[in-house]
Amino acid sequence: MNSSQVYLLTRSGGVVKLIATAVIFLLLAGCSANPIYSTTGAVLSGYSEGEATPYVLQMSDPHMACSLGEGIDPLLYSFSRVTDAPDATGSLLMLLAGNCMEYRAWEAELAYLRADFEGNVPAAKDAREEAKRLNAKTAERRLTAFNRAMAAYEFDPAEEPLECPFLFSEQDELTFLLGLLTGMQAIVNDANSGALAGIPRNIAPQAERAAICVDNEKWGGLPNSIRALVWLLLPDTKPPMSPDPWAVLDHSSELGVKKGLRASLALEAVAAETFGRPEVLAETIAQFAASEDKVEVWDDYQLVDEVAAAVIRFSSDKHWTANYGHRTPQSYFGKMSPKRDTDSVETMSLDDLL
């Protein structure tokens, strides 16, 4: 055997050892794959709930936040295959993903209104159908968010008698409250889709009952706004001697401005559109626009206020597009027509110059 053959044999032995070592390593890694996944899932869930969620709730860009929901939810929730489902964080992520889909539905609805204003029937029909489909997808995502929120706190909204869940932190209170709101939104989206999503309507009375589990004053009147909306949808759920739902919505909107969390105003605008109250819609939009200069937004939950602002602006844009063919001009936000207010304009008296 010459020296080259010895070298090759020696090298071959090294390769075999290397391969054997790699196989053993892979086998060991394979044996511990599930524990690694489980640990990773637990770490990601803990980080998302403890750090990422508070950060996102402070964001001022609803579109970026909704993109986060669409992008992260499949990754984070995939760990529910190997560990406990991260329902609390998953509820908020799916809520954000639902917002993304709704923004697309809004654009389709505005396209429909523009085409209708211009008398372009085929374009109007196409945009209308697209809006319905997008509303159906939004409703499905929001139903998922509602179910996750209820599961996160082991709360059965249909249980008799009602037992409020244990909400240990402020973030838990908000997650639960937004879950109820999202369930209501799912019903509205499904109605706008022509019932394509088949959202169960019994969510409404369940949300009405559960809303009493969260402090109304602390959360800017949002719990009572949810209850009042249900009373309008299902009058039989209104307790005896309770005030008029429109008065409750109006009072809740004032609370929302004081608290710096104007979600109640958005709910009042949705109610005004749903039940054909144009005068209430005009007042609500004007109230929101007037509050811009004086409201101190709740920093920890700025995103909630920004999402509410987007809802109000869309309500205004719908009115302007239907009546004038374009969105609300920036300088006219809070007004329902391009008519200038000349009452407050001071005019110079020509008599003084004569």
Side-chain angles (χ1 to χ4, degrees):
M1 183 178 295
N2 58 37
S3 59
S4 62
Q5 289 174 317
V6 171
Y7 170 75
L8 286 173
L9 284 173
T10 304
R11 186 175 180 184
S12 299
V15 171
V16 170
K17 288 180 181 177
L18 184 61
I19 293 174
T21 303
V23 169
I24 292 171
F25 176 78
L26 289 174
L27 286 173
L28 289 173
C31 291
S32 60
N34 285 344
I36 289 175
Y37 294 162
S38 301
T39 303
T40 304
V43 170
L44 279 179
S45 296
Y47 174 79
S48 297
E49 188 167 351
E51 300 297 335
T53 298
Y55 177 81
V56 171
L57 288 173
Q58 289 180 322
M59 289 175 65
S60 61
D61 188 337
H63 289 271
M64 182 179 288
C66 85
S67 298
L68 179 80
E70 284 193 317
I72 298 298
D73 181 80
L75 171 64
L76 183 67
Y77 222 75
S78 68
F79 286 100
S80 64
R81 294 163 63 98
V82 294
T83 186
D84 293 337
D87 285 317
T89 304
S91 171
L92 291 173
L93 287 172
M94 190 54 74
L95 179 158
L96 294 173
N99 287 351
C100 260
M101 194 58 67
E102 186 172 57
Y103 296 154
R104 295 172 193 134
W106 288 357
E107 290 303 317
E109 188 162 350
L110 291 177
Y112 156 72
L113 292 172
R114 273 194 302 274
D116 187 55
F117 182 84
E118 295 164 355
N120 188 339
V121 176
K125 284 185 175 180
D126 182 70
R128 185 65 174 160
E129 186 58 33
E130 184 182 14
K132 284 183 178 180
R133 295 178 188 182
L134 292 169
N135 267 298
K137 182 57 69 179
T138 304
E140 290 170 1
R141 290 185 179 185
R142 285 181 164 162
L143 177 62
T144 301
F146 170 80
N147 289 332
R148 287 182 183 177
M150 299 303 102
Y153 302 104
E154 300 179 347
F155 176 71
D156 180 1
E159 190 175 32
E160 292 286 353
L162 177 71
E163 290 189 15
C164 290
F166 290 105
L167 303 172
F168 295 102
S169 67
E170 201 168 70
Q171 186 172 306
D172 285 335
E173 292 177 26
L174 182 62
T175 302
F176 181 73
L177 181 57
L178 292 180
L180 300 178
L181 175 61
T182 307
M184 293 298 302
Q185 289 177 306
I187 294 174
V188 174
N189 289 124
D190 193 31
N192 291 335
S193 77
L196 288 175
I199 302 299
R201 297 300 193 260
N202 62 356
I203 287 178
Q206 293 174 357
E208 195 274 339
R209 279 164 26 106
I212 64 172
C213 296
V214 186
D215 187 277
N216 185 63
E217 296 282 334
K218 177 179 179 180
W219 294 105
L222 184 54
N224 277 354
S225 290
I226 293 172
R227 300 187 73 201
L229 183 58
V230 176
W231 296 345
L232 290 171
L233 289 168
L234 304 170
D236 290 344
T237 61
K238 182 173 173 291
M241 308 299 289
S242 56
D244 177 72
W246 292 106
V248 174
L249 286 168
D250 193 46
H251 178 64
S252 299
S253 293
E254 292 177 7
L255 278 177
V257 174
K258 290 178 182 175
K259 196 66 184 179
L261 198 75
R262 295 173 287 179
S264 296
L265 274 162
L267 221 55
E268 187 174 7
V270 170
E273 288 179 336
T274 304
F275 295 97
R277 300 286 292 267
E279 74 286 357
V280 175
L281 179 63
E283 290 174 7
T284 304
I285 294 173
Q287 185 181 0
F288 190 95
S291 70
E292 295 281 40
D293 294 333
K294 61 184 180 183
V295 68
E296 293 184 14
V297 175
W298 194 346
D299 285 340
D300 289 344
Y301 308 112
Q302 186 175 356
L303 183 64
V304 179
D305 190 76
E306 293 290 345
V307 171
V311 172
I312 294 287
R313 190 168 289 280
F314 174 62
S315 294
S316 178
D317 284 346
K318 273 195 296 184
H319 171 83
W320 277 80
T321 305
N323 290 281
Y324 306 108
H326 56 79
R327 298 169 201 251
T328 316
Q330 182 61 35
S331 58
Y332 284 88
F333 181 54
K335 302 180 186 299
M336 305 301 275
S337 81
K339 181 182 177 183
R340 291 188 177 278
D341 182 8
T342 56
D343 294 342
S344 59
V345 176
E346 294 184 1
T347 55
M348 182 181 295
S349 174
L350 295 178
D351 294 339
D352 296 338
L353 300 177
L354 297 178

